[in-house]
Structure formats: structure tokens, C-alpha cells
Amino acid sequence: MENGYQVTMNDRCSAVPDFDTPEYAMFGSLSTRRWETTEGLDPYSFGINNATDATAYKNGTTIIHTLVDVVSKNGNYLLNAGPTAEGNIIAPMADNLLAAGRWLKYAGECVYATEYWYQASQDPTGSYRFLTTPETFCIVAFNKPTDGSVVVDAGGVVLPIQEGDTSQTARADQRDDDSWTGPRVEHRREWSIDD
């Protein structure tokens, strides 16, 4: 720590890295070693790509699903929004980032400063991710429950929920045609495990 600066090294620097950095890649399961995945909002480029159709950029739901999946597996998510030559973020990118931001404004406490739970997900392709803080246990559902109820199979593991604990649930908006409109929260209720 020469000059009082704290430094961390990724695996692009060779030597002895502090964390791994796969690009446009994810781990299928929990990694106890810190890691960071990097992606662009554009599926083909980290910078602005005028050939990319506006509908091809990662939408708010995809951003949130990726963020929660990565964090639940002990990773960081570095998302690039490539600006124009004038330094502007184009509307399709900005709109999708704002959509993700709306969800984070509501449920960010289940992402920021959380740790992975040793059972990161229900299964590698499952629709639930688990995260913890010293005072909370978060279950994030990627899909709307088919019958209005959430059933979590944590592989026989007892969830860290006790009698008397309270929980909050959130459901994503949906259109009349039953398709997702993004990660904006429509419904929230508090309940007790005793109910």
C-alpha cells in the first residue's frame, strides 16, 4: 500500500489477481471467490454501435435479472452504456437504465451491500435468487407465480426465516396480454410467517 492507496487487481493483470473478470459471461453456480462480469447494454459492443436496433439493447428486466443473478453468486456486475461522440447516452439505453433504476429504488436493499447465501439459487435455471445482509434474507423471484403463490424449494435447506419474522413481497407489472412490462413494482404487502 505505497502512498496509502488500496489497490485491487483483476485477472487481466496476470500476477495474483484478487478477483476474476469474465466478459459477457456468467457463472452457473455460486463462486466463493470474488468475481465481476462485464457487459455492454449493446449485445455486440461496449461502445455505441449505430447498427444496433433499439430493441436489441438490454431492457430493464434483463438488467435486473442479470444484476441479481450475479450478486447472488458473489459477483459484481459492470454494465457499460456506450455514449455517442458528443458524450450522450441514447434514449433506448437511458430508458432501460431508468427502468432498472425504478426497481432498484424500491428493492435495492436486496442488492446493495448484500452477501450471497450459500444456496445462491433454487437451481441453476430456477426463478429465485437468495441474498442476505446481517438483518435481512431476500428471495428475488424472476417470474410471476402462476397461481399467485410463491413456493421455494431450497433443496431441502431450511430457509433462515423464523416465527414472528415479517416479510415484504413485490410483484412486477404485467400487461393485459399477460406479458411483462419491466421490473416496476405494482404490489407490495407485508405478512408474517405466522399467517
Side-chain angles (χ1 to χ4, degrees):
M1 288 197 10
E2 188 175 330
N3 299 324
Y5 298 114
Q6 187 174 2
V7 177
T8 185
M9 290 181 17
N10 65 35
D11 61 352
R12 293 185 193 112
C13 300
S14 301
V16 182
D18 297 308
F19 62 97
D20 300 320
T21 55
E23 290 185 3
Y24 283 89
M26 307 288 216
F27 289 139
S29 61
L30 172 70
S31 171
T32 55
R33 179 176 163 80
R34 296 271 182 198
W35 62 285
E36 177 177 84
T37 189
T38 58
E39 296 183 317
L41 280 168
D42 186 308
Y44 313 109
S45 171
F46 280 109
I48 189 76
N49 182 348
N50 293 328
T52 301
D53 185 85
T55 61
Y57 294 112
K58 287 176 181 54
N59 63 31
T61 300
T62 300
I63 294 168
I64 291 300
H65 283 194
T66 304
L67 173 65
V68 169
D69 183 58
V70 168
V71 172
S72 75
K73 295 173 182 169
N74 198 29
N76 292 321
Y77 184 40
L78 176 61
L79 182 62
N80 178 271
T84 65
E86 296 77 31
N88 298 319
I89 303 297
I90 62 172
M93 286 186 188
D95 292 344
N96 294 339
L97 288 169
L98 290 169
R102 283 191 297 275
W103 188 87
L104 286 168
K105 183 177 181 182
Y106 173 79
E109 64 194 46
C110 284
V111 176
Y112 301 125
T114 58
E115 294 286 333
Y116 65 91
W117 187 51
Y118 71 94
Q119 180 90 4
S121 64
Q122 184 172 0
D123 60 65
T125 60
S127 62
Y128 301 110
R129 298 296 182 269
F130 309 119
L131 300 117
T132 66
T133 71
E135 298 177 2
T136 62
F137 177 71
C138 297
I139 302 171
V140 180
F142 286 171
N143 301 309
K144 179 184 175 190
T146 54
D147 63 358
S149 65
V150 174
V151 178
V152 176
D153 176 4
V157 176
V158 176
L159 296 175
I161 301 172
Q162 300 176 1
E163 273 191 46
D165 285 352
T166 57
S167 299
Q168 297 175 335
T169 59
R171 189 181 74 198
D173 274 343
Q174 104 190 88
R175 296 183 184 142
D176 292 337
D177 64 0
D178 211 36
S179 61
W180 291 96
T181 60
R184 197 173 86 238
V185 172
E186 170 190 276
H187 175 72
R188 179 178 177 145
R189 71 179 184 94
E190 293 196 18
W191 58 279
S192 170
I193 198 165
D194 298 331
D195 293 342

Short mmCIF file of all heavy atoms in Angstrom, two decimals, residues 92-138:
data_model
loop_
_atom_site.label_atom_id
_atom_site.label_comp_id
_atom_site.label_asym_id
_atom_site.label_seq_id
_atom_site.Cartn_x
_atom_site.Cartn_y
_atom_site.Cartn_z
N PRO A 92 -32.80 4.81 -26.04
CA PRO A 92 -33.10 3.41 -25.69
C PRO A 92 -32.25 2.89 -24.53
O PRO A 92 -32.74 2.15 -23.68
CB PRO A 92 -32.79 2.64 -26.98
CG PRO A 92 -32.89 3.64 -28.06
CD PRO A 92 -32.45 4.95 -27.45
N MET A 93 -31.00 3.29 -24.46
CA MET A 93 -30.14 2.88 -23.34
C MET A 93 -30.59 3.57 -22.06
O MET A 93 -30.74 2.93 -21.02
CB MET A 93 -28.68 3.23 -23.62
CG MET A 93 -27.98 2.35 -24.62
SD MET A 93 -26.23 2.82 -24.64
CE MET A 93 -25.65 1.87 -26.02
N ALA A 94 -30.80 4.87 -22.13
CA ALA A 94 -31.19 5.64 -20.94
C ALA A 94 -32.52 5.14 -20.38
O ALA A 94 -32.66 4.99 -19.16
CB ALA A 94 -31.26 7.12 -21.28
N ASP A 95 -33.49 4.89 -21.25
CA ASP A 95 -34.80 4.42 -20.80
C ASP A 95 -34.69 3.08 -20.07
O ASP A 95 -35.34 2.87 -19.05
CB ASP A 95 -35.76 4.29 -21.98
CG ASP A 95 -36.13 5.64 -22.59
OD1 ASP A 95 -35.90 6.68 -21.95
OD2 ASP A 95 -36.64 5.64 -23.73
N ASN A 96 -33.86 2.18 -20.59
CA ASN A 96 -33.71 0.87 -19.97
C ASN A 96 -32.97 0.96 -18.63
O ASN A 96 -33.29 0.25 -17.69
CB ASN A 96 -33.01 -0.09 -20.92
CG ASN A 96 -33.87 -0.38 -22.15
OD1 ASN A 96 -35.09 -0.21 -22.12
ND2 ASN A 96 -33.25 -0.81 -23.22
N LEU A 97 -31.99 1.86 -18.55
CA LEU A 97 -31.30 2.08 -17.27
C LEU A 97 -32.24 2.69 -16.24
O LEU A 97 -32.22 2.31 -15.06
CB LEU A 97 -30.08 2.99 -17.47
CG LEU A 97 -28.90 2.35 -18.21
CD1 LEU A 97 -27.88 3.42 -18.58
CD2 LEU A 97 -28.27 1.26 -17.35
N LEU A 98 -33.09 3.61 -16.67
CA LEU A 98 -34.06 4.22 -15.75
C LEU A 98 -35.08 3.19 -15.27
O LEU A 98 -35.50 3.22 -14.10
CB LEU A 98 -34.76 5.41 -16.42
CG LEU A 98 -33.86 6.64 -16.64
CD1 LEU A 98 -34.55 7.66 -17.55
CD2 LEU A 98 -33.47 7.26 -15.31
N ALA A 99 -35.49 2.28 -16.14
CA ALA A 99 -36.42 1.22 -15.74
C ALA A 99 -35.78 0.34 -14.66
O ALA A 99 -36.42 0.01 -13.66
CB ALA A 99 -36.83 0.37 -16.94
N ALA A 100 -34.53 -0.02 -14.85
CA ALA A 100 -33.83 -0.80 -13.83
C ALA A 100 -33.69 0.01 -12.55
O ALA A 100 -33.84 -0.52 -11.44
CB ALA A 100 -32.46 -1.24 -14.35
N GLY A 101 -33.43 1.29 -12.68
CA GLY A 101 -33.30 2.16 -11.52
C GLY A 101 -34.58 2.26 -10.69
O GLY A 101 -34.52 2.36 -9.47
N ARG A 102 -35.74 2.22 -11.36
CA ARG A 102 -37.01 2.25 -10.62
C ARG A 102 -37.14 1.03 -9.71
O ARG A 102 -37.57 1.13 -8.57
CB ARG A 102 -38.20 2.33 -11.58
CG ARG A 102 -38.43 3.72 -12.15
CD ARG A 102 -39.74 3.83 -12.88
NE ARG A 102 -39.86 2.97 -14.04
CZ ARG A 102 -39.42 3.27 -15.26
NH1 ARG A 102 -38.83 4.44 -15.48
NH2 ARG A 102 -39.59 2.44 -16.26
N TRP A 103 -36.75 -0.13 -10.23
CA TRP A 103 -36.81 -1.33 -9.40
C TRP A 103 -35.80 -1.23 -8.26
O TRP A 103 -36.11 -1.57 -7.13
CB TRP A 103 -36.54 -2.58 -10.25
CG TRP A 103 -36.76 -3.85 -9.50
CD1 TRP A 103 -37.94 -4.52 -9.36
CD2 TRP A 103 -35.79 -4.59 -8.75
NE1 TRP A 103 -37.75 -5.65 -8.58
CE2 TRP A 103 -36.43 -5.71 -8.19
CE3 TRP A 103 -34.43 -4.42 -8.51
CZ2 TRP A 103 -35.77 -6.65 -7.41
CZ3 TRP A 103 -33.77 -5.35 -7.72
CH2 TRP A 103 -34.44 -6.45 -7.19
N LEU A 104 -34.60 -0.76 -8.55
CA LEU A 104 -33.58 -0.64 -7.51
C LEU A 104 -33.97 0.38 -6.44
O LEU A 104 -33.65 0.20 -5.27
CB LEU A 104 -32.23 -0.27 -8.13
CG LEU A 104 -31.54 -1.41 -8.86
CD1 LEU A 104 -30.37 -0.87 -9.68
CD2 LEU A 104 -31.09 -2.47 -7.89
N LYS A 105 -34.70 1.42 -6.84
CA LYS A 105 -35.16 2.40 -5.85
C LYS A 105 -36.08 1.73 -4.85
O LYS A 105 -36.05 2.02 -3.66
CB LYS A 105 -35.87 3.56 -6.55
CG LYS A 105 -36.32 4.65 -5.60
CD LYS A 105 -36.96 5.81 -6.35
CE LYS A 105 -37.38 6.89 -5.37
NZ LYS A 105 -38.04 8.00 -6.06
N TYR A 106 -36.89 0.81 -5.33
CA TYR A 106 -37.83 0.11 -4.47
C TYR A 106 -37.17 -1.04 -3.71
O TYR A 106 -37.36 -1.20 -2.51
CB TYR A 106 -39.00 -0.42 -5.30
CG TYR A 106 -39.92 -1.29 -4.50
CD1 TYR A 106 -40.86 -0.73 -3.65
CD2 TYR A 106 -39.83 -2.67 -4.56
CE1 TYR A 106 -41.71 -1.52 -2.90
CE2 TYR A 106 -40.67 -3.47 -3.80
CZ TYR A 106 -41.60 -2.89 -2.98
OH TYR A 106 -42.42 -3.68 -2.23
N ALA A 107 -36.42 -1.88 -4.41
CA ALA A 107 -35.93 -3.12 -3.82
C ALA A 107 -34.41 -3.21 -3.76
O ALA A 107 -33.85 -4.28 -3.56
CB ALA A 107 -36.48 -4.31 -4.61
N GLY A 108 -33.72 -2.10 -3.89
CA GLY A 108 -32.27 -2.09 -3.87
C GLY A 108 -31.65 -2.66 -2.62
O GLY A 108 -30.53 -3.17 -2.63
N GLU A 109 -32.39 -2.61 -1.50
CA GLU A 109 -31.86 -3.16 -0.25
C GLU A 109 -31.62 -4.66 -0.37
O GLU A 109 -30.89 -5.24 0.44
CB GLU A 109 -32.79 -2.86 0.91
CG GLU A 109 -34.15 -3.52 0.79
CD GLU A 109 -35.17 -2.96 1.76
OE1 GLU A 109 -35.28 -1.74 1.88
OE2 GLU A 109 -35.87 -3.77 2.39
N CYS A 110 -32.21 -5.30 -1.39
CA CYS A 110 -31.95 -6.72 -1.63
C CYS A 110 -30.80 -6.93 -2.62
O CYS A 110 -30.56 -8.04 -3.07
CB CYS A 110 -33.21 -7.41 -2.15
SG CYS A 110 -34.41 -7.74 -0.85
N VAL A 111 -30.11 -5.83 -2.96
CA VAL A 111 -28.95 -5.93 -3.86
C VAL A 111 -27.74 -5.24 -3.24
O VAL A 111 -26.68 -5.84 -3.11
CB VAL A 111 -29.27 -5.30 -5.24
CG1 VAL A 111 -28.04 -5.31 -6.14
CG2 VAL A 111 -30.42 -6.03 -5.91
N TYR A 112 -27.90 -3.99 -2.84
CA TYR A 112 -26.78 -3.21 -2.31
C TYR A 112 -26.29 -3.79 -0.98
O TYR A 112 -27.09 -4.08 -0.10
CB TYR A 112 -27.18 -1.75 -2.10
CG TYR A 112 -27.66 -1.06 -3.35
CD1 TYR A 112 -28.90 -0.44 -3.39
CD2 TYR A 112 -26.88 -1.01 -4.49
CE1 TYR A 112 -29.35 0.21 -4.52
CE2 TYR A 112 -27.32 -0.38 -5.64
CZ TYR A 112 -28.55 0.23 -5.64
OH TYR A 112 -28.99 0.86 -6.77
N ALA A 113 -24.99 -3.91 -0.85
CA ALA A 113 -24.35 -4.35 0.39
C ALA A 113 -24.86 -5.71 0.88
O ALA A 113 -24.88 -5.99 2.06
CB ALA A 113 -24.49 -3.31 1.49
N THR A 114 -25.29 -6.55 -0.04
CA THR A 114 -25.73 -7.89 0.33
C THR A 114 -24.59 -8.89 0.13
O THR A 114 -23.61 -8.60 -0.54
CB THR A 114 -26.94 -8.36 -0.50
OG1 THR A 114 -26.59 -8.33 -1.88
CG2 THR A 114 -28.15 -7.50 -0.25
N GLU A 115 -24.76 -10.03 0.71
CA GLU A 115 -23.84 -11.15 0.53
C GLU A 115 -24.63 -12.29 -0.08
O GLU A 115 -25.85 -12.35 0.05
CB GLU A 115 -23.27 -11.59 1.88
CG GLU A 115 -22.38 -10.56 2.54
CD GLU A 115 -21.02 -10.43 1.87
OE1 GLU A 115 -20.56 -11.42 1.26
OE2 GLU A 115 -20.44 -9.34 1.95
N TYR A 116 -23.91 -13.18 -0.71
CA TYR A 116 -24.57 -14.38 -1.22
C TYR A 116 -24.99 -15.26 -0.05
O TYR A 116 -24.41 -15.21 1.02
CB TYR A 116 -23.65 -15.15 -2.17
CG TYR A 116 -22.43 -15.72 -1.48
CD1 TYR A 116 -22.45 -16.99 -0.94
CD2 TYR A 116 -21.25 -14.99 -1.38
CE1 TYR A 116 -21.35 -17.53 -0.31
CE2 TYR A 116 -20.13 -15.51 -0.74
CZ TYR A 116 -20.18 -16.78 -0.22
OH TYR A 116 -19.09 -17.30 0.40
N TRP A 117 -26.04 -16.02 -0.26
CA TRP A 117 -26.42 -17.06 0.69
C TRP A 117 -25.86 -18.35 0.11
O TRP A 117 -25.81 -18.51 -1.12
CB TRP A 117 -27.93 -17.12 0.85
CG TRP A 117 -28.42 -18.05 1.91
CD1 TRP A 117 -28.00 -18.09 3.20
CD2 TRP A 117 -29.42 -19.06 1.79
NE1 TRP A 117 -28.69 -19.05 3.90
CE2 TRP A 117 -29.57 -19.67 3.05
CE3 TRP A 117 -30.22 -19.50 0.74
CZ2 TRP A 117 -30.46 -20.70 3.28
CZ3 TRP A 117 -31.11 -20.53 0.97
CH2 TRP A 117 -31.24 -21.11 2.24
N TYR A 118 -25.41 -19.27 0.92
CA TYR A 118 -24.70 -20.45 0.41
C TYR A 118 -25.52 -21.23 -0.61
O TYR A 118 -24.98 -21.98 -1.40
CB TYR A 118 -24.21 -21.34 1.55
CG TYR A 118 -25.28 -22.08 2.29
CD1 TYR A 118 -25.63 -23.37 1.93
CD2 TYR A 118 -25.95 -21.47 3.34
CE1 TYR A 118 -26.61 -24.04 2.61
CE2 TYR A 118 -26.92 -22.15 4.03
CZ TYR A 118 -27.25 -23.43 3.67
OH TYR A 118 -28.23 -24.09 4.35
N GLN A 119 -26.82 -21.05 -0.63
CA GLN A 119 -27.68 -21.64 -1.64
C GLN A 119 -28.10 -20.48 -2.54
O GLN A 119 -29.15 -19.91 -2.36
CB GLN A 119 -28.90 -22.30 -0.98
CG GLN A 119 -29.86 -22.95 -1.90
CD GLN A 119 -29.51 -24.40 -2.15
OE1 GLN A 119 -28.60 -24.94 -1.57
NE2 GLN A 119 -30.25 -25.03 -3.03
N ALA A 120 -27.25 -20.10 -3.49
CA ALA A 120 -27.45 -18.87 -4.26
C ALA A 120 -28.77 -18.84 -5.02
O ALA A 120 -29.40 -17.80 -5.13
CB ALA A 120 -26.30 -18.68 -5.26
N SER A 121 -29.18 -19.97 -5.55
CA SER A 121 -30.43 -20.00 -6.33
C SER A 121 -31.16 -21.30 -6.05
O SER A 121 -30.61 -22.24 -5.50
CB SER A 121 -30.13 -19.87 -7.82
OG SER A 121 -29.38 -20.98 -8.27
N GLN A 122 -32.41 -21.31 -6.48
CA GLN A 122 -33.22 -22.51 -6.30
C GLN A 122 -32.57 -23.67 -7.05
O GLN A 122 -32.48 -24.77 -6.57
CB GLN A 122 -34.63 -22.27 -6.80
CG GLN A 122 -35.56 -23.42 -6.56
CD GLN A 122 -37.00 -23.06 -6.91
OE1 GLN A 122 -37.28 -21.95 -7.33
NE2 GLN A 122 -37.90 -23.99 -6.73
N ASP A 123 -32.12 -23.41 -8.24
CA ASP A 123 -31.32 -24.31 -9.05
C ASP A 123 -30.73 -23.43 -10.14
O ASP A 123 -31.14 -22.29 -10.30
CB ASP A 123 -32.15 -25.48 -9.62
CG ASP A 123 -33.29 -25.00 -10.50
OD1 ASP A 123 -33.03 -24.42 -11.56
OD2 ASP A 123 -34.46 -25.23 -10.12
N PRO A 124 -29.74 -23.90 -10.91
CA PRO A 124 -29.08 -23.01 -11.87
C PRO A 124 -30.03 -22.31 -12.84
O PRO A 124 -29.76 -21.21 -13.27
CB PRO A 124 -28.12 -23.93 -12.61
CG PRO A 124 -27.83 -25.02 -11.63
CD PRO A 124 -29.12 -25.22 -10.85
N THR A 125 -31.15 -22.92 -13.17
CA THR A 125 -32.10 -22.28 -14.08
C THR A 125 -33.36 -21.83 -13.35
O THR A 125 -34.32 -21.42 -13.97
CB THR A 125 -32.49 -23.24 -15.22
OG1 THR A 125 -33.08 -24.39 -14.64
CG2 THR A 125 -31.28 -23.62 -16.05
N GLY A 126 -33.37 -21.96 -12.02
CA GLY A 126 -34.55 -21.63 -11.22
C GLY A 126 -34.89 -20.16 -11.27
O GLY A 126 -34.12 -19.32 -11.71
N SER A 127 -36.07 -19.84 -10.79
CA SER A 127 -36.56 -18.47 -10.89
C SER A 127 -36.38 -17.67 -9.61
O SER A 127 -36.85 -16.55 -9.53
CB SER A 127 -38.02 -18.47 -11.30
OG SER A 127 -38.80 -19.11 -10.32
N TYR A 128 -35.70 -18.22 -8.59
CA TYR A 128 -35.48 -17.49 -7.35
C TYR A 128 -33.99 -17.35 -7.07
O TYR A 128 -33.22 -18.27 -7.31
CB TYR A 128 -36.13 -18.22 -6.17
CG TYR A 128 -37.61 -18.41 -6.32
CD1 TYR A 128 -38.14 -19.66 -6.54
CD2 TYR A 128 -38.47 -17.33 -6.25
CE1 TYR A 128 -39.51 -19.84 -6.68
CE2 TYR A 128 -39.84 -17.50 -6.39
CZ TYR A 128 -40.35 -18.75 -6.61
OH TYR A 128 -41.70 -18.93 -6.75
N ARG A 129 -33.62 -16.18 -6.54
CA ARG A 129 -32.25 -15.95 -6.08
C ARG A 129 -32.31 -15.51 -4.63
O ARG A 129 -33.25 -14.81 -4.23
CB ARG A 129 -31.54 -14.89 -6.92
CG ARG A 129 -31.37 -15.25 -8.39
CD ARG A 129 -30.46 -16.47 -8.56
NE ARG A 129 -30.26 -16.79 -9.96
CZ ARG A 129 -31.01 -17.63 -10.66
NH1 ARG A 129 -32.05 -18.21 -10.10
NH2 ARG A 129 -30.75 -17.88 -11.91
N PHE A 130 -31.29 -15.88 -3.86
CA PHE A 130 -31.25 -15.60 -2.43
C PHE A 130 -30.06 -14.71 -2.10
O PHE A 130 -28.94 -14.97 -2.54
CB PHE A 130 -31.13 -16.91 -1.63
CG PHE A 130 -32.16 -17.95 -2.01
CD1 PHE A 130 -31.77 -19.18 -2.52
CD2 PHE A 130 -33.51 -17.69 -1.85
CE1 PHE A 130 -32.71 -20.14 -2.86
CE2 PHE A 130 -34.46 -18.65 -2.17
CZ PHE A 130 -34.06 -19.87 -2.68
N LEU A 131 -30.30 -13.66 -1.30
CA LEU A 131 -29.25 -12.75 -0.85
C LEU A 131 -29.50 -12.40 0.61
O LEU A 131 -30.63 -12.44 1.07
CB LEU A 131 -29.27 -11.46 -1.69
CG LEU A 131 -29.03 -11.69 -3.18
CD1 LEU A 131 -30.23 -11.26 -3.98
CD2 LEU A 131 -27.81 -10.96 -3.62
N THR A 132 -28.44 -12.03 1.31
CA THR A 132 -28.58 -11.72 2.74
C THR A 132 -27.81 -10.47 3.13
O THR A 132 -26.86 -10.06 2.45
CB THR A 132 -28.06 -12.87 3.62
OG1 THR A 132 -26.65 -13.00 3.44
CG2 THR A 132 -28.73 -14.18 3.31
N THR A 133 -28.23 -9.88 4.22
CA THR A 133 -27.47 -8.88 4.96
C THR A 133 -27.49 -9.40 6.41
O THR A 133 -28.17 -10.39 6.69
CB THR A 133 -28.11 -7.48 4.91
OG1 THR A 133 -29.31 -7.47 5.69
CG2 THR A 133 -28.42 -7.04 3.49
N PRO A 134 -26.78 -8.74 7.32
CA PRO A 134 -26.86 -9.23 8.70
C PRO A 134 -28.27 -9.23 9.28
O PRO A 134 -28.55 -9.96 10.22
CB PRO A 134 -25.95 -8.25 9.46
CG PRO A 134 -24.97 -7.81 8.43
CD PRO A 134 -25.76 -7.72 7.15
N GLU A 135 -29.18 -8.44 8.71
CA GLU A 135 -30.53 -8.33 9.27
C GLU A 135 -31.64 -8.79 8.34
O GLU A 135 -32.80 -8.81 8.74
CB GLU A 135 -30.79 -6.89 9.70
CG GLU A 135 -29.84 -6.43 10.79
CD GLU A 135 -30.04 -4.98 11.17
OE1 GLU A 135 -30.96 -4.33 10.61
OE2 GLU A 135 -29.28 -4.50 12.01
N THR A 136 -31.33 -9.11 7.09
CA THR A 136 -32.38 -9.49 6.15
C THR A 136 -32.01 -10.75 5.37
O THR A 136 -30.85 -11.08 5.22
CB THR A 136 -32.65 -8.37 5.12
OG1 THR A 136 -31.46 -8.14 4.36
CG2 THR A 136 -33.10 -7.09 5.78
N PHE A 137 -33.04 -11.39 4.87
CA PHE A 137 -32.90 -12.51 3.93
C PHE A 137 -33.83 -12.19 2.77
O PHE A 137 -35.03 -12.00 2.96
CB PHE A 137 -33.29 -13.83 4.59
CG PHE A 137 -33.23 -15.00 3.65
CD1 PHE A 137 -32.01 -15.48 3.22
CD2 PHE A 137 -34.38 -15.60 3.20
CE1 PHE A 137 -31.94 -16.56 2.35
CE2 PHE A 137 -34.33 -16.68 2.33
CZ PHE A 137 -33.10 -17.16 1.91
N CYS A 138 -33.27 -12.08 1.58
CA CYS A 138 -34.07 -11.70 0.41
C CYS A 138 -34.22 -12.87 -0.55
O CYS A 138 -33.25 -13.56 -0.86
CB CYS A 138 -33.40 -10.55 -0.33
SG CYS A 138 -33.26 -9.04 0.63
#
